[in-house]
Amino acid sequence: MIKRKTVLIVDDEPQIRDGLRVFFDSADYRVAEANCGVQAVRMTVSLRPHLILLDSTLPDGDDGDIIAAVREWTEAALIVLVESDANNKIAGVFDAGADDYVLKPFDADILAARIRAHTRKKAHGDNWKWEIRNGWMRLDPIRHKVYVGKRTIELMPDEYRLLRYLVVHHGRIVTYRQILKGIECLGLSIEHLRMRVHQLRRKIDHDANMPELTEVPGVGYRMEVVENSLVAA
């Protein structure tokens, strides 16, 4: 039996999801649905879809942040449904990591053509990021393991989430709020975040191969980019 491709539909409007489900059912796709950005990220991790269709006006966050969060986990074709084709809106969609956009209300033939164009470019075997790397450090998102060179670093789940967020965004400053939102801990204070970073540093800073993590006072943190390649284990 030929395995059907999976599409993840992300939209908070049930009628939109219903219409798209009929559309993809007729194209013999396996259909999964999410109604918010947090759910979209979780389902991307668990389902590894071939295609993601994502609405740009989800209730739980900025569309650019949601697109970027999904893109952390997959290279699958990602098409965004937008209500406006204003230049700044479309530029933001592409900058966040989308492959294409379709203007709502969308024409089924146009949507089908754009899907065919992008899925031809995306092989399923290449659409999953098995490792997240920064120089000598690599993170295994399936096993939640952290490796520096040939050494394994043992982290608590909250420490792993914090480190993963910083590694994914290495090379740029991320604000305290962005970090807390990214690790799903918006209820914590900045002081609690500093304590978590301190605990993380106690486990990683003694390793000379670990990328430098610095605080930008009053703003957030920045993990430096490390250029040297990972040696084979």
Side-chain angles (χ1 to χ4, degrees):
M1 179 181 293
I2 298 175
K3 184 178 179 180
R4 291 190 298 167
K5 290 185 177 181
T6 300
V7 57
L8 175 60
I9 300 169
V10 188
D11 200 299
D12 62 320
E13 297 184 44
Q15 63 271 29
I16 297 292
R17 297 200 306 271
D18 289 345
L20 287 169
R21 187 189 313 113
V22 172
F23 174 85
F24 283 106
D25 279 342
S26 66
D28 202 30
Y29 272 80
R30 175 174 171 250
V31 179
E33 299 177 27
N35 60 18
C36 65
V38 170
Q39 191 178 21
V41 174
R42 290 174 178 168
M43 294 182 73
T44 297
V45 174
S46 62
L47 295 178
R48 298 169 56 187
H50 300 75
L51 169 68
I52 300 171
L53 215 63
L54 188 147
D55 181 53
S56 66
T57 55
L58 294 170
D60 61 338
D62 175 77
D63 59 339
D65 289 341
I66 294 172
I67 293 168
V70 170
R71 187 52 89 198
E72 289 177 13
W73 294 100
T74 184
E75 292 295 337
L78 196 163
I79 299 176
V80 180
L81 304 176
V82 300
E83 295 180 349
S84 168
D85 59 353
N87 288 342
N88 61 336
K89 178 68 175 180
I90 301 307
V93 164
F94 284 118
D95 286 343
D99 291 299
D100 207 344
Y101 75 96
V102 174
L103 191 63
K104 297 168 66 176
F106 50 85
D107 180 277
D109 291 336
I110 296 297
L111 177 59
R114 294 197 176 187
I115 289 170
R116 287 194 298 270
H118 288 288
T119 53
R120 279 196 298 267
K121 301 175 185 177
K122 305 281 186 177
H124 181 52
D126 296 330
N127 76 352
W128 184 256
K129 292 185 176 180
W130 290 104
E131 290 184 345
I132 305 168
R133 299 191 180 197
N134 183 16
W136 294 86
M137 181 171 61
R138 56 192 174 100
L139 279 67
D140 182 333
I142 303 299
R143 299 176 180 85
H144 284 200
K145 293 288 187 180
V146 180
Y147 307 95
V148 179
K150 298 180 180 181
R151 189 170 68 88
T152 302
I153 297 177
E154 298 295 335
L155 297 179
M156 299 294 289
D158 58 339
E159 295 169 338
Y160 175 86
R161 289 196 301 271
L162 174 58
L163 180 61
R164 184 183 68 82
Y165 187 87
L166 294 168
V167 174
V168 166
H169 296 87
H170 66 274
R172 65 185 181 90
I173 297 171
V174 284
T175 67
Y176 304 120
R177 180 174 176 79
Q178 286 174 325
I179 296 170
L180 291 171
K181 182 178 179 181
I183 62 175
E184 299 181 19
C185 290
L186 274 173
L188 292 184
S189 67
I190 293 175
E191 285 307 313
H192 279 103
L193 175 60
R194 287 196 177 106
M195 289 175 59
R196 290 197 174 188
V197 171
H198 176 71
Q199 292 169 351
L200 179 62
R201 278 175 164 161
R202 289 179 62 185
K203 294 188 177 182
I204 67 175
D205 270 4
H206 65 277
D207 195 306
N209 292 317
M210 182 62 66
E212 183 180 359
L213 174 62
T214 57
E215 182 174 6
V216 181
V219 181
Y221 289 90
R222 183 178 194 270
M223 176 170 280
E224 301 299 326
V225 177
V226 177
E227 299 296 340
N228 52 315
S229 299
L230 184 72
V231 295

